[in-house]
Amino acid sequence: MTTLSQHGLGIAPSEILARQRAAFLKEGPPSLAQRKADLRKLKSAILARREEIQNALIADFGHRSPHETAIMEVMTVIQAINYQRCNLRRWMRPEKRQVPMHFQPGRAWVNYQPLGVIGVMSPWNYPLSLALMPLATALAAGNRVMIKPSEFTPTSSALLHRLAGEVFGPEQVAVVMGDAGVGQAFSALPFDHLLFTGSTEVGRSVMKAASENLVPVTLELGGKSPVIIEPGHCIGHAATSIAHGKLANAGQICIAPDYVLVHQDALDDFIGAFDRAVRRLYPEGPLSDQYTSVINERHYDRLNALLDDAREKGARIVEVGERSADAGRRAHTLAPTVVVGTNERMRIMQEEIFGPVLPVLPYRDIDQAIAYINGRPRPLALYFFGGNGPNRRKVLELTTSGNVTINNTLMHYAQEDLPFGGVGPSGMGAYHGIEGFKALSHARGVFQQGKWNLSGMLRPPFGGIARLILALMLR
Ligand code: NAD
């Protein structure tokens, strides 16, 4: 594995881990006051660098909407830190548990202990918030942290490295830079827990590497998140929310709506409404300051190849939104596009799209839409637009996904008090909310026995009292 010498530390990641673990054992778990102070320092450092963060993202993406960066990269993390600071005292409190009658008098409780050193691996689509959110959660739970950010966003990753170095000592928080090879070696380190955010494919090999050391993992992965629009629901309202969810960060969001299921009678209405919604959101078209580019040429080519493949296999490609300006004038910028007439042989219906391209599929009735979703890998998010009636109940009861937002897109992510995560191929475990604190803590159950209790009677030599207790207990 590479060392950190190029960043002035000159220490191999395995050595950083050893030092962090030694410091953790020496200093013990941090107090509530210490954790709150760490979170405050992190928050101040992020807020002080807001402009630097916006510029780093522009440098990495070619163009990234500064407002989107402020909302999705900065605001989400600040809100999470505020929420953690407010709730930490309650989360850290020992939890009283029940003691059965035959163990009375006695007391049982759960202590949430820090695990030790948490490894965090993050992707390029939100290179700061998807590293900083796990960092804040790990610090709230009293841990030390090593982060391996993505190599696809070198300016943001370097900023993260600087920020961490300025706020924390390397024995508390360290950032390890490098490519997929460094990622492989990183995932093989014997952390106390590894939180990986990235693709399902890489998640699989990360879990394999972690299993060698029996390192528990939280996997925040991707997938194809569907939208169902109930027959009769206001198509304009749904189209506006879906356009926002699909085109923010140019669709490069793990929970972006991947495709839409709309009733067959409303298909054309939806495409018209989606077109109008895109024009309202980006009146200057894809060269708008608010519209983000695809991360690099490789992903731009990947998306065009998905469109070519769909076109060749018979799909209709519909250009939507303002098109007077040529998107090609800005490097790797792809204009919003709708695809209709898809089938399962098309790669666009097999792979996570992760770009501003929206397949729209007609359905006959809600059961068919549910069957379509259930015939595919369990998604990270599911969106339902409709009323509070039997269709909604059916969709919620009969499908499974990491999370759900009803009558909007993306917004479950911003609910601090909800767990966020996937299920099956879209992920394992969850963070955010108290679930995040618990995922990065060890729930240590403690039982304290009173001086006198019945369990002492269940020892040899067994006699009449043991028989009586057994008769009572085995009912
Ligand atoms: P990726 O899996 O390619 O990379 C993620 C991290 O793993 C990076 O730091 C990378 O350097 C490292 N890596 C790459 N190959 C590796 C290997 N073989 N072994 C070990 N480490 C390796 O993901 P990406 O392209 O950066 O991000 C896009 C994917 O992430 C999409 O699938 C998206 O849905 C998913 N994602 C999920 C969430 C979530 O919260 N569930 C959030 C954002 C993105």
Side-chain angles (χ1 to χ4, degrees):
M1 191 189 289
T2 61
T3 70
L4 290 187
S5 54
Q6 67 269 40
H7 307 290
L9 290 177
I11 312 166
S14 55
E15 179 57 25
I16 301 175
L17 171 58
R19 289 189 192 183
Q20 288 199 347
R21 185 163 281 142
F24 174 76
L25 291 172
K26 183 161 170 255
E27 290 172 28
S31 64
L32 171 66
Q34 183 60 51
R35 296 183 202 194
K36 283 182 139 182
D38 285 340
L39 290 171
R40 194 183 321 109
K41 276 194 298 185
L42 182 59
K43 173 178 163 177
S44 306
I46 296 168
L47 286 175
R49 287 168 181 78
R50 181 177 154 189
E51 210 173 313
E52 217 182 317
I53 290 173
Q54 288 171 189
N55 291 335
L57 268 295
I58 289 173
D60 283 332
F61 275 73
H63 185 73
R64 163 70 102 81
S65 155
H67 284 91
E68 276 183 13
T69 297
I71 295 166
M72 321 259 270
E73 208 89 50
V74 179
M75 195 178 98
T76 51
V77 181
I78 297 301
Q79 288 303 307
I81 291 176
N82 289 345
Y83 164 81
Q84 287 167 347
R85 291 188 78 241
C86 274
N87 287 283
L88 201 46
R89 178 187 296 278
R90 182 168 57 86
W91 293 346
M92 286 173 68
R93 234 178 251 148
E95 251 175 36
K96 193 166 178 249
R97 296 297 172 95
Q98 288 179 10
V99 176
M101 200 240 317
H102 52 290
F103 288 109
Q104 297 286 2
R107 289 199 312 130
W109 70 93
V110 175
N111 276 341
Y112 289 98
Q113 289 186 311
L115 285 165
V117 183
I118 309 296
V120 171
M121 301 179 73
S122 52
W124 54 261
N125 64 324
Y126 286 100
L128 289 163
S129 69
L130 291 174
L132 292 169
M133 195 84 103
L135 169 63
T137 310
L139 291 173
N143 297 289
R144 297 175 184 247
V145 189
M146 287 174 66
I147 306 173
K148 151 68 184 89
S150 173
E151 66 279 23
F152 283 178
T153 46
T155 313
S156 306
S157 298
L159 171 56
L160 178 72
H161 183 267
R162 262 196 328 276
L163 185 150
E166 282 165 25
V167 180
F168 302 104
E171 285 169 0
Q172 188 175 9
V173 179
V175 178
V176 175
M177 310 282 268
D179 59 10
V182 174
Q184 264 171 359
F186 190 88
S187 61
L189 291 172
F191 293 111
D192 296 297
H193 191 100
L194 182 58
L195 193 156
F196 169 83
T197 305
S199 60
T200 301
E201 188 194 344
V202 175
R204 220 171 248 129
S205 66
V206 162
M207 185 169 173
K208 206 180 261 176
S211 73
E212 285 296 317
N213 295 309
L214 294 180
V215 172
V217 290
T218 301
L219 300 178
E220 298 288 345
L221 310 176
K224 293 181 82 62
S225 298
V227 183
I228 303 183
I229 306 174
E230 182 184 38
H233 183 78
C234 171
I235 287 289
H237 165 253
T240 303
S241 299
I242 295 165
H244 171 243
K246 185 68 179 181
L247 301 178
N249 210 28
Q252 300 163 109
I253 307 186
C254 56
I255 52 171
D258 190 273
Y259 61 93
V260 176
L261 291 157
V262 62
H263 189 267
Q264 55 195 16
D265 295 342
L267 183 79
D268 291 337
D269 279 357
F270 176 78
I271 294 169
F274 189 76
D275 177 46
R276 288 191 294 281
V278 176
R279 284 172 200 277
R280 275 197 308 277
L281 291 174
Y282 306 101
E284 294 150 40
L287 294 186
S288 153
D289 189 43
Q290 308 301 329
Y291 191 72
T292 295
S293 299
V294 174
I295 182 72
N296 54 30
E297 289 295 336
R298 205 185 93 192
H299 278 276
Y300 179 74
D301 292 346
R302 176 185 65 79
L303 288 163
N304 277 309
L306 287 186
L307 287 171
D308 290 344
D309 174 74
R311 193 182 290 111
E312 276 161 29
K313 291 173 180 159
R316 183 162 61 94
I317 311 296
V318 186
E319 295 188 346
V320 286
E322 172 59 45
R323 291 281 179 143
S324 56
D326 173 17
R329 285 206 342 252
R330 190 189 272 164
H332 42 88
T333 299
L334 189 66
T337 305
V338 162
V339 185
V340 277
T342 56
N343 62 47
E344 292 314 295
R345 288 180 300 108
M346 297 174 184
R347 282 175 49 212
I348 207 162
M349 292 317 299
Q350 297 165 3
E351 301 168 19
E352 178 181 6
I353 297 173
F354 223 55
V357 177
L358 183 73
V360 183
L361 284 67
Y363 67 82
R364 272 190 323 278
D365 55 45
I366 213 80
D367 294 331
Q368 194 197 14
I370 290 172
Y372 185 87
I373 291 167
N374 286 342
R376 276 146 195 85
R378 289 176 164 176
L380 185 58
L382 183 144
Y383 301 105
F384 177 78
F385 287 87
N388 186 10
N391 285 335
R392 181 178 117 172
R393 274 199 295 285
K394 255 190 184 174
V395 169
L396 288 182
E397 271 172 26
L398 300 181
T399 65
T400 304
S401 62
N403 292 83
V404 176
T405 288
I406 297 167
N407 292 335
N408 206 342
T409 56
L410 311 183
M411 295 305 151
H412 59 274
Y413 183 84
Q415 307 311 309
E416 307 303 339
D417 211 24
L418 284 182
F420 174 79
V423 54
S426 60
M428 179 180 294
Y431 73 126
H432 296 203
I434 192 172
E435 284 79 5
F437 174 83
K438 287 187 175 177
L440 301 184
S441 302
H442 169 55
R444 188 190 210 188
V446 183
F447 173 61
Q448 181 186 317
Q449 183 69 79
K451 199 167 179 192
W452 305 104
N453 63 87
L454 282 181
S455 71
M457 309 289 180
L458 286 175
R459 292 180 189 148
F462 298 107
I465 294 181
R467 272 199 302 281
L468 189 68
I469 294 172
L470 275 171
L472 276 172
M473 293 297 155
L474 299 181
R475 283 182 306 162

